[in-house]
Amino acid sequence: MNERNSTDQRKIPLIRLLVDLASAAMFAAMIVLTSVRIANGTAKGRMTVLILNILLWLIPFIFRPIFKQKISDGIYAVFVIFAFLASFLGSVLGFYSKIWWYDLAIHFAFGYLAAVIGLFFFCKLADVYAQKPLLIMLFCFAVSLMFAVLWEIFEFSGDALLGNTAQGTHIPTADGGFVTAVNDTMEDMICNTLGAILFTLHYAAHALSKKSLLFDTLKKDFSAARTQTENNC
């Protein structure tokens, strides 16, 4: 029996294996892509983005030994999915500039994934199985909108302090300053909210149907991280 338990403890969870394989593959792909762009002279002005995207894929390997079970495998999976969509496809391959709706789609996806992170926080703070689904949905929805607001504040700060144009083209004013239209910010916020609403509807379907719909797996994974943290305290 002890040998069987020892074997089970050493077994790598499938989601962790997939995260590690995806991260290693993307790290290698970024090394190759960066080398090719340096060789053909197309890396000029993009080296910072390329280097940051190389280092980005090392995060699961660096964070896991530091934080151990405090960050669950599900959160690393969310990170890998979003990093691939937003950073690799969006920034490295230029989907933001090539596809007009891609930024809106990323904000929509972020709204949903940020709510998943909200579920992680909820599982860390309380027994998710003992709480009413409505409370869980409201908490996750609020966390998603919080992340959306913080991101827009970050973009605004970068535009105001560093002269970036993340929130749109600068419009000169009579006093020598500039303003930006609110369209980009509001469109991003709306898409984030729609993503959070999709999560809420998804979770409601899970609660009403009594079927997993992926949430049983997430709650088990997130709650395991909480239990492990408590045992280590």
Side-chain angles (χ1 to χ4, degrees):
M1 181 65 70
N2 291 335
E3 291 181 359
R4 181 181 299 177
N5 291 337
S6 178
T7 301
D8 291 340
Q9 291 175 356
R10 290 197 302 267
K11 186 178 180 181
I12 300 176
L14 177 60
I15 188 171
R16 183 181 305 175
L17 180 62
L18 293 175
V19 165
D20 288 351
L21 288 175
S23 299
M26 289 306 304
F27 177 77
M30 281 303 308
I31 292 290
V32 173
L33 180 62
T34 301
S35 300
V36 170
R37 290 190 177 184
I38 291 174
N40 61 26
T42 59
K44 185 177 181 180
R46 300 284 295 170
M47 279 304 299
T48 300
V49 172
L50 293 172
I51 292 173
L52 288 177
N53 273 273
I54 291 174
L55 300 177
L56 185 69
W57 297 104
L58 294 177
I59 285 180
F61 303 108
I62 295 173
F63 277 33
R64 193 175 290 123
I66 296 174
F67 295 101
K68 301 187 185 301
Q69 300 299 323
K70 293 180 181 179
I71 301 178
S72 73
D73 293 320
I75 291 299
Y76 286 116
V78 169
F79 163 78
V80 167
I81 293 170
F82 191 73
F84 177 78
L85 295 175
S87 188
F88 181 71
L89 294 183
S91 297
V92 176
L93 298 189
F95 278 29
Y96 289 131
S97 58
K98 296 176 183 176
I99 305 174
W100 69 267
W101 49 264
Y102 194 75
D103 181 59
L104 299 178
I106 289 299
H107 278 280
F108 178 81
F110 181 72
Y112 183 95
L113 294 176
V116 173
I117 296 175
L119 180 61
F120 170 76
F121 288 153
F122 195 99
C123 291
K124 293 279 283 185
L125 295 170
D127 182 359
V128 69
Y129 299 101
Q131 305 300 322
K132 293 184 180 299
L134 180 60
L135 175 62
I136 298 171
M137 289 186 288
L138 289 175
F139 181 88
C140 295
F141 186 82
V143 169
S144 179
L145 294 192
M146 177 196 71
F147 277 119
V149 170
L150 290 176
W151 179 255
E152 294 304 322
I153 291 174
F154 171 77
E155 286 191 343
F156 174 80
S157 300
D159 287 2
L161 300 175
L162 303 177
N164 298 333
T165 57
Q167 293 192 314
T169 304
H170 295 170
I171 303 172
T173 60
D175 61 0
F178 67 86
V179 295
T180 56
V182 300
N183 298 60
D184 181 78
T185 299
M186 293 310 301
E187 289 170 355
D188 290 349
M189 291 292 295
I190 290 170
C191 288
N192 273 280
T193 302
L194 291 175
I197 291 174
L198 177 62
F199 173 92
T200 302
L201 294 175
H202 187 185
Y203 196 92
H206 154 70
L208 293 173
S209 67
K210 306 299 182 182
K211 295 183 179 180
S212 173
L213 301 180
L214 183 62
F215 284 115
D216 281 346
T217 301
L218 288 176
K219 288 191 289 188
K220 181 179 179 181
D221 180 55
F222 295 165
S223 297
R226 171 175 177 260
T227 302
Q228 184 65 37
T229 300
E230 290 176 346
N231 290 337
N232 291 335
C233 291

